[in-house]
Amino acid sequence: MSSPTLNYLIIDDLEQPPEQRVGTLVRLCGRRDSPKTREGAIELVRRLWEEDLLPADRFANGIHQDSIMAVSEPTDTQNLLPVERGAQELCQLLNLQVTHQQTCQEARPLVSLVQAVLDNERSLTPEELELASDRKTGKLLQKVASSHAELSRFRDAMSGDAQLILEIIRAEMPGDVAIQSPDSVTNGATTTSK
């Protein structure tokens, strides 16, 4: 049996428009995407680049966590049962949802800055000016937009089979139906019939 693999795309320059971005595809042994496996992918690409095994013009802005994205391999879904396809979709949806929520959480400190710029009713404070001029702010806003877009696109493309997983889970949960003894219903009181 072959070892499970993870695929990562390390993007050269995040400042390029998405349709012009290029990167390096890396395959690692591993079962699931994690900060540890992402760091392993980054270290592998750094080593290859330093050893001149990748073009010298790559990674002009360095290699960092924002440069990496997990890429799922296309699978042959024709041979999968709907419930199996649903489980795959649900796992991917969960990953995308977590990524999006974590990105939004990171961006929360930018709310007043973004609101001030959008409303155009007041000047920015010195702190907001400093935050607005920081390159990380723009990258974080782009990250919020791309995680939202990726989540929306995936939801639109889902087959609907993920609902089967929810139905299976619900079927295994104890429901409202319960068998009780007559004594427990009447609290031990006796009833007389005429």
Side-chain angles (χ1 to χ4, degrees), residues 4 19 25 51 54 71 77-78 89 91 102 108 126-129 142 150 176 191:
E19 63 276 2
L25 188 63
E51 294 173 3
L54 293 174
V71 181
T77 56
Q78 293 177 348
E89 287 182 354
C91 289
Q102 287 173 338
R108 287 249 157 68
E127 295 83 17
E128 289 172 337
L129 279 171
Q142 289 177 346
E150 192 175 358
D176 294 333
T191 57

Side-chain angles (χ1 to χ4, degrees), residues 15-16 55 63 70 79 131 151 165-166:
E15 293 180 4
Q16 291 290 324
I63 305 168
N79 295 329
L131 195 57
L151 180 60
I165 304 303
L166 180 59

Side-chain angles (χ1 to χ4, degrees), residues 110-122 124 128:
L110 303 177
V111 169
S112 67
L113 167 67
V114 172
Q115 191 68 51
V117 172
L118 291 175
D119 290 348
N120 196 23
E121 293 179 0
R122 65 171 175 86
L124 298 179
E128 289 172 337

Side-chain angles (χ1 to χ4, degrees), residues 71-189:
V71 181
S72 45
E73 280 196 27
T75 57
D76 181 13
T77 56
Q78 293 177 348
N79 295 329
L80 295 178
L81 293 173
V83 70
E84 293 171 313
R85 187 173 41 250
Q88 284 184 347
E89 287 182 354
L90 186 57
C91 289
Q92 182 67 18
L93 181 62
L94 288 170
N95 286 335
L96 292 171
Q97 183 72 38
V98 167
T99 299
H100 178 60
Q101 283 188 227
Q102 287 173 338
T103 303
C104 288
Q105 187 68 32
E106 280 180 62
R108 287 249 157 68
L110 303 177
V111 169
S112 67
L113 167 67
V114 172
Q115 191 68 51
V117 172
L118 291 175
D119 290 348
N120 196 23
E121 293 179 0
R122 65 171 175 86
S123 298
L124 298 179
T125 66
E127 295 83 17
E128 289 172 337
L129 279 171
E130 186 177 328
L131 195 57
S133 62
D134 187 349
R135 290 180 67 192
K136 291 179 184 177
T137 298
K139 288 181 180 182
L140 184 54
L141 292 173
Q142 289 177 346
K143 194 173 168 184
V144 168
S146 64
S147 70
H148 177 75
E150 192 175 358
L151 180 60
S152 296
R153 277 192 295 269
F154 187 79
R155 281 187 183 278
D156 291 343
M158 289 178 68
S159 67
D161 292 334
Q163 189 68 31
L164 295 170
I165 304 303
L166 180 59
E167 291 170 14
I168 291 169
I169 294 169
R170 282 184 176 157
E172 294 299 319
M173 292 174 58
D176 294 333
V177 178
I179 299 172
Q180 297 181 347
S181 69
D183 285 343
S184 66
V185 172
T186 61
N187 232 359

